[in-house]
Each structure stands twice: as structure tokens, then as C-alpha cells.
Amino acid sequence: MTYCLGIITDTGFVMASDSRTNAGVDHISTYRKLFDFSKPGDRVILLCTAGNLSVTQGIVSELDRDIKSQEDVNLHSLPSMYEVARYIGTKLRKVQEIDEHWLKKDGIEPKCSMLLSGQIKEQEPCLFLIYSQGNFIHATKETPFLQIGETKYGKPILDRTLSFRTHLEAAAKCALLSIDSTMKSNISVGPPINLVLYEKDSLEIKNFLKLRLGDPYLAKIRKVWEECLKQGFNEIPDIDWQHRGSDFSEDVLID
């Protein structure tokens, strides 16, 4: 399992991912899940992957091959991010169709999902979630973040903190806390953590961070966040047990 998320704001976007693909008592594997297909000055394209590792690696290899062989249709030739998302969805279906029969024969699911973010020159930045079937949705001003993988533990902080007008640096901190909260609750998510902050209309990646296990900054934000949560919890008013909505006995059902 893994955890990836994308956040879009009015000034750019943030992409973040962990790197763990398998966890056990004596076996932990890590693979990069955040890929950069940008063409500086013309377009920025970032892709996060979750799900069957062989399938996602096959898709990434196909995308990279098409760029290097200068195929008529590739990530650097398509005129819009919508068409980029559609193209990646087609590649996803292609790889799954080739491998699905043999994977399922051994009880292995070929499913995967992806987050795509980017901006093409003179267009607006976009953030998409591409499903295992190859179709996709995009983030909006009302829903400025998307997640894939082990999403539930890191979602509450995103729901309570983010909006489309959140400062980009604050969005990046929120992404790190979301991943850290997930790592705290689920062993299947773990470092290294890859984080990218993209400033709208810059058309290049200027801010990239890789946090490994034991990184001092990662330890610091976890400590500060836990202290803030404890302080906030201690400030919550005590329960007023005398304020009763009704008699408890009246709510007890008797057969």
C-alpha cells in the first residue's frame, strides 16, 4: 500500500507521496511513486502512482518511451492537460489488458490509480485522479485535494485545513502532516517522502524535497504537531453532564 496526495490552490499545486510498497515483520520495500515528466518552459507534468507495482511501472515506462522515441502522441506533444489525462488513462488500460489474465490467474489484482498534476504554457494548472478503469475526475475550487492509496488517516487534516485560497507553503506543510498522520497509524505507508511545490506559471519545478527515515525535519514536525493536538485537546471544555436532552431511561428500548 502507499499514500499519495495532490493539492491545488489559486497560486499553484503540491504533490506528495510516500515510497513504501510492502511491509512485514522482516521485509520492507520502497519504490519511488512520484514521477516528473516536465518540459521546462513549456509544461510541468507530475504523476503519482498507487496500486499494482508492475502495472504502474509498466505505464511509467510506456510514457517515458513515447517521449524518448518522439511518438506523434506523447506527454510533450498533447495540447491540454485534459488530453494528457485521457492519454495516460489509455496507457493504463493497455498495460492492464496485457497483464490482467496472468495476474488474476495467481490471485493478483492488476488495479492501480494515479494522480496527475500539471500546467501547460498559457493554460491553467490542473489536478486529476485517474482511476483503474482509465477514466478520471479533476480537483475543483470546492474540492482542492485528491488522494490515492491509504487515504483515510490523512484526510481529516486536509478537510479541516485546506481551501483553494490556502497559501501554497501552508498547503505543503499540510501535505506532510497528512502523510505523517498516515504513517503514524498504518505501517504500510512509510518514507522516503517526496514532496513537490509548484508555483503557478513558473513552468518549472523549483521546490522539491525528499525526506528519508529519521530526517530531523520530519521528526520535528511530528513532535510539534503532536504537542499542538494535545494542547488543543486539553482546551476542549469538559462535558456538561448536567445538561441532559432527555431522561436516559426513556431512550432504552425494552423488548
Side-chain angles (χ1 to χ4, degrees), residues 76-199:
H76 291 173
S77 68
L78 290 163
S80 71
M81 286 303 299
Y82 173 86
E83 291 177 75
V84 168
R86 181 63 69 188
Y87 163 72
I88 294 174
T90 301
K91 289 290 186 182
L92 189 159
R93 285 193 291 266
K94 175 185 175 182
V95 174
Q96 282 184 326
E97 287 171 3
I98 293 171
D99 296 342
E100 183 175 18
H101 171 75
W102 302 104
L103 290 171
K104 287 192 171 182
K105 188 176 180 181
D106 288 327
I108 301 172
E109 278 293 332
K111 292 183 178 180
C112 64
S113 55
M114 299 184 169
L115 291 178
L116 166 69
S117 65
Q119 182 180 23
I120 294 176
K121 190 174 182 179
E122 298 180 354
Q123 299 179 28
E124 288 295 308
C126 297
L127 171 64
F128 297 91
L129 191 165
I130 304 174
Y131 294 106
S132 191
Q133 296 79 6
N135 60 322
F136 53 86
I137 62 173
H138 63 88
T140 67
K141 292 181 180 180
E142 293 73 31
T143 54
F145 69 88
L146 295 171
Q147 305 165 279
I148 55 175
E150 187 58 76
T151 62
K152 56 183 177 291
Y153 301 105
K155 190 173 185 293
I157 184 175
L158 303 175
D159 286 332
R160 292 179 178 272
T161 306
L162 288 176
S163 75
F164 186 67
R165 296 195 177 278
T166 297
H167 191 279
L168 202 53
E169 287 285 350
K173 287 193 292 184
C174 189
L176 282 178
L177 287 174
S178 179
I179 291 184
D180 182 70
S181 297
T182 305
M183 291 193 298
K184 180 76 172 178
S185 299
N186 193 314
I187 194 174
S188 70
V189 176
I193 296 172
N194 291 307
L195 178 72
V196 172
L197 181 153
Y198 170 73
E199 298 174 355

Side-chain angles (χ1 to χ4, degrees), residues 32 34 193-197 205-210:
R32 184 160 58 101
L34 177 55
I193 296 172
N194 291 307
L195 178 72
V196 172
L197 181 153
I205 301 297
K206 299 177 181 178
N207 300 290
F208 173 79
L209 189 63
K210 185 172 186 177

Side-chain angles (χ1 to χ4, degrees), residues 25 28 37 91 95 109 112 158 184 203 211 230 254:
V25 175
I28 295 177
F37 293 98
K91 289 290 186 182
V95 174
E109 278 293 332
C112 64
L158 303 175
K184 180 76 172 178
L203 295 176
L211 300 174
K230 290 175 182 177
I254 302 176

Side-chain angles (χ1 to χ4, degrees), residues 222-240:
R222 171 174 287 189
K223 180 181 179 181
V224 171
W225 181 239
E226 288 179 348
E227 290 174 351
C228 289
L229 285 176
K230 290 175 182 177
Q231 180 180 344
F233 175 78
N234 290 333
E235 292 178 1
I236 293 176
D238 290 338
I239 298 172
D240 181 5

